[in-house]
Amino acid sequence: MECMIGITFKDFVLLAADMTAVQSIFVVKSDDIKLHKLSEHLVMAAVGESGDKTQFAEYIAKNIQLYKMRNGYGLSPVAAANYTRRSLAEYLRSRTPYQVNMLMGGYDNEAGPVLYFVDYLAALVKIPYYAYGYGGYVSLSVIDRYYGKGDMTPEEGYELLKKCVVEIQKRLVINLPNFQVQMISKDGIVELPNITAKTLAVEETKAG
């Protein structure tokens, strides 16, 4: 039921994740944080078992920071993604595997904006955009329609994410009212305004 969306553009990456925490058929909270800062230019969106996603994200973030302290320089997004995949693969072969699916978005000084998807079986793939979960069934077609060559401004990219969330809230019976959004560029990580059902309703009323 959880949903996360990642899109790479010419000079930045946008990551969005729903903020709904559920247990069985019950909504536990609507302000759950699923975007985790791993470094100054890298963010992980993680969904899965509640304890697993938080613990694994913290484990990866702390080890990336430890690497920087020991060596005097940090891991690039490419190296961090491969380290994450290897860590997940090692736990997969233990008695305590993590049930976590991730999108990792970052900015590399050489490669530019990058986006990776890592699933709970430790498969890693570099992609221009992706939407995970039931929300991906309806939002991927929206991205296909408007993405083009990805040559958009941050404002246009944010509006594209809004279109995806509008479609998710319109088409799915599952209630995902709030989405957290972050932008990663050469200047670092910027927290963008949350996309919520309430703000979308207000904008629709003004437009009407």
Short mmCIF file of all heavy atoms in Angstrom, two decimals, residues 2 10 44-45 71 89 162 177:
data_model
loop_
_atom_site.label_atom_id
_atom_site.label_comp_id
_atom_site.label_asym_id
_atom_site.label_seq_id
_atom_site.Cartn_x
_atom_site.Cartn_y
_atom_site.Cartn_z
N GLU A 2 2.08 1.15 0.50
CA GLU A 2 2.94 2.33 0.55
C GLU A 2 3.36 2.75 -0.86
O GLU A 2 3.37 1.95 -1.79
CB GLU A 2 4.16 2.05 1.41
CG GLU A 2 3.83 1.77 2.87
CD GLU A 2 5.06 1.42 3.67
OE1 GLU A 2 5.57 0.30 3.48
OE2 GLU A 2 5.52 2.24 4.47
N LYS A 10 17.48 17.18 -15.24
CA LYS A 10 18.79 17.56 -15.76
C LYS A 10 19.79 17.90 -14.66
O LYS A 10 20.95 17.50 -14.71
CB LYS A 10 18.64 18.75 -16.72
CG LYS A 10 19.94 19.16 -17.40
CD LYS A 10 19.69 20.31 -18.36
CE LYS A 10 21.01 20.73 -19.04
NZ LYS A 10 20.79 21.86 -19.98
N MET A 44 17.51 8.52 0.95
CA MET A 44 16.90 7.22 0.75
C MET A 44 15.42 7.28 1.11
O MET A 44 15.05 7.74 2.19
CB MET A 44 17.58 6.16 1.63
CG MET A 44 16.87 4.79 1.62
SD MET A 44 17.44 3.70 2.95
CE MET A 44 19.09 3.33 2.38
N ALA A 45 14.58 6.83 0.19
CA ALA A 45 13.17 6.61 0.49
C ALA A 45 13.00 5.13 0.75
O ALA A 45 13.36 4.31 -0.10
CB ALA A 45 12.29 7.06 -0.67
N ASN A 71 37.98 8.13 6.61
CA ASN A 71 38.76 8.34 5.40
C ASN A 71 38.92 9.80 5.00
O ASN A 71 39.72 10.10 4.12
CB ASN A 71 38.13 7.56 4.24
CG ASN A 71 38.14 6.06 4.49
OD1 ASN A 71 39.14 5.38 4.25
ND2 ASN A 71 37.03 5.53 4.98
N ALA A 89 22.14 -7.63 0.82
CA ALA A 89 22.39 -9.01 0.37
C ALA A 89 22.96 -9.86 1.49
O ALA A 89 22.61 -11.05 1.64
CB ALA A 89 23.34 -9.00 -0.82
N LYS A 162 2.91 16.58 -8.22
CA LYS A 162 1.54 16.88 -7.82
C LYS A 162 0.54 16.12 -8.69
O LYS A 162 -0.46 15.58 -8.20
CB LYS A 162 1.26 18.38 -7.91
CG LYS A 162 1.69 19.20 -6.71
CD LYS A 162 1.18 20.62 -6.87
CE LYS A 162 1.60 21.49 -5.71
NZ LYS A 162 1.12 22.89 -5.87
N PRO A 177 -3.12 10.42 2.04
CA PRO A 177 -3.39 11.86 1.95
C PRO A 177 -2.15 12.75 1.91
O PRO A 177 -2.21 13.86 1.38
CB PRO A 177 -4.21 12.14 3.22
CG PRO A 177 -3.73 11.11 4.19
CD PRO A 177 -3.43 9.88 3.37
#
